[in-house]
Amino acid sequence: MKKILVIILCIVQCALCIDLKSQIAVSASIDSVQMFIGEQAKLSIQAIQPQDYTLQFPVFSDTVTSNLELVSTLKPDTVVLENSMLQVTNSYIVTAFDSALVYHPGFEVKAGEETYLTNPISVKIVENIDEAIDHISYYNSFIWKKLRRLLKIS
């Protein structure tokens, strides 16, 4: 009888852990896929969580990731959703001073002992308008080549 009770308690505990994990979702976004050196962009890390739960968002001192520097941290934005859920968005103003392709595999958001990883973000930092136009021209010519092949236009 005790074995059955222990097994039932383990199953209930696992179900509660799975239920909590399925209720928390985190994501990251940056408002620009390309920016000039010295230009600023908004990086946002968003979490959807139960109202009675506390999450720990990343804290940046002066650098978010290599080549991406923190300018300022904005106040968190909280929206009450249905079913006793909250949407919390922490936003950061960032800039860069070197041309590069900046990629971050994901930011960690902690909930108790659990750690959640956001989706990756990337942004291309370009030195001047000519570099940006070259990039756009290359991309457009690549798309046109693909479209011509698909439509069989010579």
Side-chain angles (χ1 to χ4, degrees), residues 9-69:
L9 286 175
C10 289
I11 291 172
V12 168
Q13 185 177 8
C14 289
L16 289 174
C17 290
I18 291 170
D19 185 44
L20 177 63
K21 194 166 185 108
S22 66
Q23 288 184 359
I24 297 175
V26 295
S27 63
S29 63
I30 191 160
D31 66 358
S32 181
V33 294
Q34 180 173 292
M35 55 192 266
F36 295 111
I37 291 177
E39 186 177 15
Q40 296 180 355
K42 184 163 81 169
L43 168 68
S44 298
I45 299 175
Q46 183 181 78
I48 296 177
Q49 67 184 67
Q51 284 186 3
D52 58 345
Y53 220 72
T54 302
L55 298 183
Q56 182 181 356
F57 285 83
V59 177
F60 306 111
S61 56
D62 60 350
T63 304
V64 175
T65 187
S66 63
N67 294 331
L68 205 57
E69 298 188 26

Side-chain angles (χ1 to χ4, degrees), residues 43-101:
L43 168 68
S44 298
I45 299 175
Q46 183 181 78
I48 296 177
Q49 67 184 67
Q51 284 186 3
D52 58 345
Y53 220 72
T54 302
L55 298 183
Q56 182 181 356
F57 285 83
V59 177
F60 306 111
S61 56
D62 60 350
T63 304
V64 175
T65 187
S66 63
N67 294 331
L68 205 57
E69 298 188 26
L70 181 68
V71 174
S72 65
T73 302
L74 304 177
K75 285 185 175 182
D77 181 29
T78 304
V79 177
V80 178
L81 303 174
E82 298 175 357
N83 302 329
S84 299
M85 299 293 280
L86 288 178
Q87 176 182 310
V88 181
T89 305
N90 280 10
S91 297
Y92 312 88
I93 303 299
V94 296
T95 191
F97 297 108
D98 292 319
S99 61
L101 176 60

Side-chain angles (χ1 to χ4, degrees), residues 96-127:
F97 297 108
D98 292 319
S99 61
L101 176 60
V102 177
Y103 173 81
H104 194 282
F107 298 97
E108 290 184 353
V109 177
K110 295 183 181 182
E113 293 184 18
E114 293 288 327
T115 300
Y116 299 89
L117 192 64
T118 68
N119 54 294
I121 62 148
S122 62
V123 60
K124 182 169 177 57
I125 313 300
V126 293
E127 192 171 329

Side-chain angles (χ1 to χ4, degrees), residues 1-13:
M1 184 68 176
K2 285 185 179 182
K3 288 182 182 179
I4 293 174
L5 184 60
V6 169
I7 292 172
I8 290 172
L9 286 175
C10 289
I11 291 172
V12 168
Q13 185 177 8

